């Protein structure tokens, strides 16, 4: 089986298990403030990690290329409080233009 | 009073469908990104049906697409999936569901269905908001995943269309509204620095996954 299929099945299993367990365990188990705080921070660090790796690295090297240009535009669009679709599309268009013509 | 109740019901359903279509349309971005990350159309569709959690799905294809192993992909996306479990804890007392219906309810317990439900006033509107939003997002997310995947297959080189940057831009947008204090900004910047500094020395996928340690340490102490 390919790594992709293994990852699809593994991820689906764990994601559903968390969803189902949440519906099933007593609320008091997970209401501890420490758990709540960690849960607030986990998406922040993982999503930031993903942005970082996908924008500024290639395998094990740090690089600045068309993706950095696109993500800089996305960052600016977010600072300007532009709508989410505009953020994503402006980043993609910038990146594509730099990739094709720079 | 019945009439009033119906009007309120219509607006909950309307809101739910609006959220479902808007969020679901981003399924096309997921489908396209999955193809750009060397997943097949069938794998993209399987993820949207079975994992059904946008951030986890994008994280998985992101980790494998940048050369990470299946294991680091599963770990990263599963960690992102924990929050759906905590939504479930919150929703369980409102939904009061048992048996096979709990399986369905669990699968559609995501950011949007929980968010719309918690925005309602009465328990019956909360239930309605949850089921309508969850079902609408599920339906449109899956349809658009298929369309996006088929479309990207026809496009060719993903970089020429900016698809390789659309994915991190989506992540940046997702993290942005969570950065609402000096502390959360500091946490994000630490994750940025950690991921960059581990990249030259750790296998692909590990720099992303290891940022979870920051969340645990910082959340533990407060």
């Amino acid at each position: 089986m390919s790594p992709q299929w293994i990852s699809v099945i593994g991820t689906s299993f764990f994601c559903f298990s968390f969803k189902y367990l949440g519906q099933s365990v007593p609320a008091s188990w997970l209401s501890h403030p420490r758990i709540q705080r960690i849960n607030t921070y986990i998406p922040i660090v993982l999503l930031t990690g993903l942005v970082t790796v996908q924008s500024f690295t290639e395998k094990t090297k740090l690089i600045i290329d068309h993706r950095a240009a696109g993500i800089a535009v996305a960052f600016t669009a977010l600072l300007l409080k532009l709508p989410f679709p505009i953020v994503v599309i402006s980043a993609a268009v910038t990146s594509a233009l730099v990739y094709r013509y720079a | 009073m019945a009439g009033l109740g119906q009007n309120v019901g219509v607006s909950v359903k309307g809101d739910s469908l609006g959220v479902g279509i808007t969020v679901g349309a981003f399924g096309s971005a997921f489908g396209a990104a999955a193809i750009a990350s060397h997943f097949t159309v069938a794998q993209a569709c399987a993820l949207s049906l079975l994992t059904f959690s946008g951030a986890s799905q994008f994280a998985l294809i992101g980790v494998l697409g940048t050369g990470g192993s299946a294991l680091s992909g599963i770990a990263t996306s599963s960690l992102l999936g924990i929050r759906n479990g905590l939504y479930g804890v919150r929703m369980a007392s409102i939904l009061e569901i048992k048996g096979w219906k709990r399986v369905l309810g669990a699968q559609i317990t995501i950011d949007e269905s929980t968010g719309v439900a918690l925005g309602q006033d009465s328990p019956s509107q909360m239930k309605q908001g949850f089921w309508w939003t969850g079902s609408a997002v599920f339906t449109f997310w899956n349809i658009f995943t298929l369309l996006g995947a088929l479309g990207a297959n026809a496009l060719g080189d993903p970089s020429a269309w900016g698809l390789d940057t659309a994915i991190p831009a989506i992540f940046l947008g997702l993290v942005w509204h969570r950065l609402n204090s000096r502390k959360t900004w500091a946490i994000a910047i630490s994750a940025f620095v950690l991921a960059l500094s581990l990249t030259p020395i750790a296998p692909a996928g590990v720099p992303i996954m290891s940022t979870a340690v920051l969340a645990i340490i910082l959340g533990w102490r407060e």
Side-chain angles (χ1 to χ4, degrees):
Chain A
M1 202 187 293
S2 69
Q4 277 79 12
W5 273 120
I6 294 171
S7 72
V8 168
I9 294 164
T11 294
S12 298
F13 172 78
F14 284 111
C15 283
F16 180 77
S17 301
F18 289 136
K19 286 173 177 171
Y20 193 81
L21 278 175
Q23 295 275 352
S24 311
V25 302
S28 59
W29 287 19
L30 296 171
S31 60
H32 193 283
R34 188 171 274 165
I35 302 274
Q36 298 290 334
R37 276 200 304 273
I38 293 173
N39 181 58
T40 308
Y41 298 159
I42 278 184
I44 294 176
V45 296
L46 288 178
L47 293 171
T48 305
L50 282 157
V51 174
T52 309
V53 166
Q54 296 188 347
S55 307
F56 306 109
T57 76
E58 176 87 60
K59 301 217 164 68
T60 57
K61 283 205 253 338
L62 308 183
I63 57 168
I64 300 283
D65 58 14
H66 58 282
R67 297 168 302 161
I71 212 70
V73 168
F75 192 88
T76 312
L78 285 163
L79 278 179
L80 296 173
K81 299 189 196 309
L82 295 175
F84 193 46
I86 306 285
V87 172
V88 177
I89 292 166
S90 63
V93 169
T94 307
S95 172
L97 289 175
V98 173
Y99 180 80
R100 288 183 188 213
Y101 302 111
Chain B
M1 282 307 280
L4 183 65
Q6 273 163 10
N7 284 338
V8 170
V10 166
S11 90
V12 174
K13 285 178 195 170
D15 287 353
S16 303
L17 281 176
V19 170
I21 293 168
T22 314
V23 175
F26 269 94
S28 58
F30 171 72
I35 299 302
S37 307
H38 313 296
F39 280 69
T40 63
V41 175
Q43 287 161 346
C45 292
L47 274 170
S48 285
L49 278 170
L50 302 173
T51 299
F52 187 53
S53 187
S56 294
Q57 292 177 229
F58 272 110
L60 182 74
I61 61 164
V63 170
L64 270 79
T66 50
S69 66
L71 194 64
S72 58
I74 293 170
T76 305
S77 59
S78 300
L79 282 169
L80 278 168
I82 290 176
R83 73 184 192 293
N84 293 323
L86 294 168
Y87 295 151
V89 174
R90 182 80 182 78
M91 292 309 303
S93 59
I94 298 162
L95 295 174
E96 298 170 312
I97 41 176
K98 291 201 167 54
W100 63 271
K101 229 181 151 187
R102 186 182 280 177
V103 174
L104 293 182
Q107 182 64 342
I108 61 166
T109 303
I110 53 168
D111 293 319
E112 291 79 20
S113 54
T114 308
V116 170
L118 296 181
Q120 307 302 323
D121 301 320
S122 72
S124 70
Q125 283 175 287
M126 285 177 159
K127 280 183 199 170
Q128 203 174 30
F130 174 84
W131 287 106
W132 275 84
T133 306
S135 312
V137 174
F138 188 83
T139 306
F140 290 109
W141 179 257
N142 278 287
I143 292 171
F144 279 105
T145 295
L146 176 63
L147 295 178
L150 292 175
N153 247 352
L155 281 183
D157 182 3
S159 295
W161 302 93
L163 272 179
D164 52 347
T165 309
I167 314 175
I170 288 171
F171 286 132
L172 188 61
L174 289 176
V175 77
W176 195 264
H177 74 270
R178 297 172 191 272
L179 302 178
N180 47 18
S181 66
R182 189 171 288 208
K183 169 123 195 185
T184 48
W185 270 99
I187 290 168
I189 292 166
S190 326
F192 172 77
V193 172
L194 182 67
L196 276 189
S197 28
L198 286 180
T199 293
I201 52 173
V206 173
I208 299 168
M209 210 168 46
S210 59
T211 60
V213 175
L214 283 176
I216 295 167
I217 294 171
L218 294 166
W220 198 270
R221 304 182 329 150
E222 191 71 350

